[in-house]
Amino acid sequence: MTTPSDLLAFLDAAARQPRSVGAIAPSGPALCRRLAQIVPRTHVSTVVELGAGTGSVSDAIGRRLLPGSRHLAVEIDERLADRLRARRPDLDVVVADAADLRAILRERGVHRVDAVVSGLPWSLFPAAVQQRILTAVADVLAPGAGFATFAYLHALPLAGARGLRRLLDDTFDEVVASASVWRNLPPALTYTCRRPTARSTWATPCVPTAYPAWL
């Protein structure tokens, strides 16, 4: 649940980095739950969250993770990252650009992940940045893993949102758009994506995620 202090922290980040924060408030509970459904509840897993912000989606992810799972939260804003570390010491919070996802995981000895959840403001990114991030996401997903992100309804006609949908269709074999989440400010829909259509060879074969290498 978003608290007044969460909202203030979010607005502060938006004022300092308007090109990195594309919303007027943190994601609401209904949208957070929808995004977190990509997180498996059948086995110990590794989950990456891109653009963790104040942690509203982080909390929804945490409620689905089994004991022994790993949750890596990537946030480019240092103040938000520090705040999230203080509030959720169980998270592995890293201040970094989501486009550097492969290097971030490599530094931690992780080669494949079971889910990636994104809270990034796609419509603010140029096409080249969108593609770089999605390529990195596709590269790190384990077989059967999925990627979830969202778009605001009012932004769907914009070039950035239309470009994102084309890139999702080019990057994944399956892209499913949800029904509108009206109980969010602003209203949104989610995209659930599976089966990347191509992979690079950046990573070595991974240890099955049911037996995490860090345990």
Side-chain angles (χ1 to χ4, degrees), residues 180-196:
S180 300
V181 182
W182 295 107
R183 297 182 66 181
N184 193 73
L185 183 66
L189 59 77
T190 63
Y191 294 119
T192 301
C193 311
R194 297 185 186 276
R195 299 189 300 277

Side-chain angles (χ1 to χ4, degrees), residues 114-126:
D114 299 280
V116 177
V117 181
S118 170
L120 298 172
W122 296 103
S123 62
L124 298 183
F125 299 158

Side-chain angles (χ1 to χ4, degrees), residues 39-52:
V39 175
R41 293 194 294 182
T42 56
H43 57 83
V44 173
S45 58
T46 304
V47 175
V48 173
E49 181 183 1
L50 303 177

